[in-house]
Amino acid sequence: MSIWWSLHLRRDAASVPLARRLLLGTMETAGVDPEISYDLSVALSEACANAVEHGGGAARDHTSEAFRVTAYLDGEKCRIEVADAGPGFPAAGPRPRPQPVPAEAEHGRGLCLIEQLADHVHIGNKPGRGGAVVSFDKILKWREDAPLTAV
C-alpha cells in the first residue's frame, strides 16, 4: 500500500493545523496505530511552525510566502518533508545537531522534538536555491482492524 500527498501552503499559522489534520486523517483512514500517528503529527506541526516562522525572505518572487509539505506512506514507513523558501540553515561547516532547551522555553524545541519523535531525520538546504528542507521518517505500526495494511 502506498499513499502520498503534497500541499503548497501559505506561511500562515492557520496552515499548521491544516497540515496536521490532513496527516492524522490519512493515517486514521489507512489504519496506522494512533501513537505513531500522534508522534508524526507533532513532528509535522513543529516542522510547519518553523517554516511559517523562519521560511521567508530569500526568494525574489512570491514563493517565500509559501511552503510545501509532502507525506509518503509507503509500505512500512512514513516519510514527511517540509520545504520552505527562506534563507535556509547556515552554510558554514556541518550543521550542528539541535540542542535541548529548557522545558519552560517558548522557542527552540522544534528540531529536537522532531529528532525525538522520528526514526530518521535529515535537516538541510535546498540544493542551488534558498530554503530549508526538513525531512523525517518513522516505521509504521498498524491497528489490527487496519483497512490498508502494508503488503
Side-chain angles (χ1 to χ4, degrees):
M1 186 249 345
S2 183
I3 299 171
W4 74 271
W5 49 261
S6 188
L7 300 171
H8 187 80
L9 298 167
R10 289 181 47 177
R11 282 187 48 242
D12 183 273
S15 295
V16 177
L18 174 65
R20 182 178 176 146
R21 283 192 297 261
L22 182 58
L23 178 68
L24 284 169
T26 301
M27 296 184 126
E28 181 181 357
T29 301
V32 175
D33 177 81
E35 282 186 37
I36 299 295
S37 298
Y38 179 77
D39 286 353
L40 284 168
S41 72
V42 171
L44 174 62
S45 295
E46 293 297 333
C48 289
N50 283 345
V52 168
E53 185 172 345
H54 305 292
R60 293 198 179 131
D61 55 12
H62 294 289
T63 60
S64 67
E65 297 303 316
F67 67 100
R68 188 186 73 241
V69 175
T70 306
Y72 307 90
L73 279 79
D74 192 19
E76 294 291 328
K77 180 172 69 171
C78 178
R79 179 173 188 83
I80 297 172
E81 179 179 284
V82 177
D84 64 44
F89 295 101
R95 221 182 84 57
R97 293 183 56 82
Q99 298 299 311
V101 296
E104 64 276 359
E106 292 187 26
H107 298 286
R109 294 188 311 246
L111 295 177
C112 286
L113 275 171
I114 294 168
E115 285 197 336
Q116 291 172 356
L117 295 169
D119 294 329
H120 179 261
V121 178
H122 177 355
I123 299 167
N125 293 327
K126 290 181 190 173
R129 298 179 297 197
V133 179
V134 175
S135 62
F136 51 94
D137 56 60
K138 190 165 183 81
I139 301 297
L140 298 174
K141 293 184 207 169
W142 300 90
R143 296 187 324 248
E144 285 186 29
D145 65 340
L148 302 174
T149 58
V151 200

